[in-house]
């Protein structure tokens, strides 16, 4: 949303940052009473369609960046000279910065992921340590976009995020919001032996670490979501694939996600709200919580050590 210099309600301009509300709660930006509302709905729809059409992981990520660029270009046209304060979605930030429309204005950034420079450095280090995990090196953003995001973040007055790890990168400027916990749901009392992996099955989400732990501890795994590491990745293990929209959480003794990168831990929050133990990497971004175990690192040995006691109780 862009805020004009005069602060009366009628002098505000609201710009839905995703381009469309979709009639879903997380997109239902409040726009009533604003003097002007601008959106990039056709642009969002077109690029969302293109992103879904991409089948390889590297092309999907690239398509998402191109969509953000197109939306930023569309919304920037609504930015008039009397706008003095902006709250900008992180996905649009590098493109608005390169267009020069952020200069001379007070900028707050709504951050939902690590800065691209940090994110890519983390993936590069993991790819160097594990060259056999090809998906760790599958895509890198253009250097100019990475540099633009870094410059814009350095110039921003305030960083707003619910993510604990992201907030720690901006001491003195970060305003940390609480994660919105889902409503707690009661689970039937019954034996549960399976470990749920929210997926998708890809190296950055910790799939390789969990596979090694499952082999070492003879674990049953519920795999949720797509398998992006190849059709035989889980071969030889006791694995069941379940649909994301099924009641798989009711079957889980624990939810395990040793991710290198975790932007929006909705599934982990839902598990904690339901009383299901969660084991996750520091990248989950969740503050200390009953039932949450945060791993010091996401290597197989660390995960095996953390799961050993639970595995003993399940057998």
């Amino acid at each position: 949303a862009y805020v004009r210099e005069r602060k009366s309600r009628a002098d505000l301009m609201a710009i839905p940052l995703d381009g469309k509300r979709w009639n879903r709660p997380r997109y239902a930006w409040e726009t009533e009473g604003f003097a002007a509302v601008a959106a990039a709905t056709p642009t969002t729809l077109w690029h969302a369609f293109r992103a879904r059409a991409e089948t390889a992981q590297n092309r999907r990520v690239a398509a998402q960046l191109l969509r953000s660029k197109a939306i930023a270009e569309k919304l920037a046209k609504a930015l008039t000279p009397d706008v003095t304060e902006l709250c900008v979605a992180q996905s649009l930030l590098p493109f608005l910065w390169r267009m020069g429309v952020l200069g001379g204005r007070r900028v707050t950034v709504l951050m939902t992921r690590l800065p691209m420079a940090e994110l890519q450095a983390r993936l590069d280090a993991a790819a160097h340590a594990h060259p056999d995990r090809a998906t760790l090196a599958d895509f890198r953003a253009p250097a100019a976009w990475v540099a633009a995001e870094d410059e814009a973040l350095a110039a921003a007055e305030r960083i707003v995020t619910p993510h604990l790890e992201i907030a720690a990168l901006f001491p003195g400027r970060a305003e940390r919001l609480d994660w919105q916990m889902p409503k707690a749901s009661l689970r039937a009392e019954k034996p549960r032996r399976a470990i749920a992996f929210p997926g998708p099955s890809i190296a950055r989400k910790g799939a390789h670490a969990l596979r090694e732990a499952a082999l070492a501890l003879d674990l049953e795994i519920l795999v949720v979501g797509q398998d992006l590491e190849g059709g035989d990745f889980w071969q030889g293990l006791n694995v069941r694939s379940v649909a994301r929209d099924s009641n798989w959480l009711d079957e889980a003794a624990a939810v395990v996600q040793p991710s290198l990168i975790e932007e929006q831990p909705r599934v982990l929050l839902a598990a904690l709200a339901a009383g299901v133990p969660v084991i996750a990497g520091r990248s989950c971004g969740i503050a200390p919580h009953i039932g949450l175990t945060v791993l010091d690192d996401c290597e197989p040995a660390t995960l095996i050590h953390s799961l050993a006691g639970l595995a003993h109780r399940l057998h």
Side-chain angles (χ1 to χ4, degrees), residues 26-205:
R26 70 173 181 267
Y27 297 127
W29 303 97
E30 177 58 56
T31 60
E32 184 179 354
F34 285 75
V37 177
T41 302
T43 304
T44 302
L45 284 171
W46 169 241
H47 284 274
F49 173 78
R50 288 187 59 188
R52 291 191 184 96
E54 302 290 352
T55 55
Q57 177 69 12
N58 61 334
R59 296 208 309 267
R60 273 202 300 273
V61 176
Q64 289 169 3
L65 287 172
L66 289 174
R67 177 176 60 180
S68 295
K69 181 176 182 290
I71 293 170
E73 290 171 347
K74 176 70 173 179
L75 295 181
K77 295 176 182 178
L79 184 58
T80 52
D82 58 335
V83 176
T84 58
E85 298 180 25
L86 298 88
C87 179
V88 179
Q90 182 184 8
S91 60
L92 309 182
L93 189 65
F95 312 111
L96 293 172
W97 181 261
R98 291 193 73 194
M99 283 185 271
V101 300
L102 302 184
R105 296 181 168 97
R106 299 173 60 189
V107 176
T108 294
V109 181
L110 176 61
M111 291 193 69
T112 55
R113 60 159 170 76
L114 291 170
M116 284 189 281
E118 171 64 24
L119 186 155
Q120 294 185 170
R122 184 173 299 187
L123 290 175
D124 286 344
H128 179 76
H130 303 285
D132 57 311
R133 303 178 187 180
T135 56
L136 290 172
D138 61 7
F139 177 77
R140 298 294 182 268
W145 295 358
V146 176
E149 185 186 61
D150 268 358
E151 292 168 9
L153 288 172
E157 182 176 274
R158 190 171 56 136
I159 306 296
V160 176
T161 182
H163 198 288
L164 193 66
E165 191 176 35
I166 294 172
L169 296 176
F170 301 93
R173 288 193 292 151
E175 179 180 334
R176 195 170 69 81
L177 307 177
D178 292 329
W179 289 108
Q180 184 175 348
M181 293 292 292
K183 291 182 179 179
S185 56
L186 296 177
R187 302 201 305 163
E189 290 294 332
K190 63 179 182 180
R192 296 178 175 86
R193 299 176 54 84
I195 302 298
F197 177 62
S201 297
I202 193 167
R204 68 189 62 176
K205 292 294 187 181

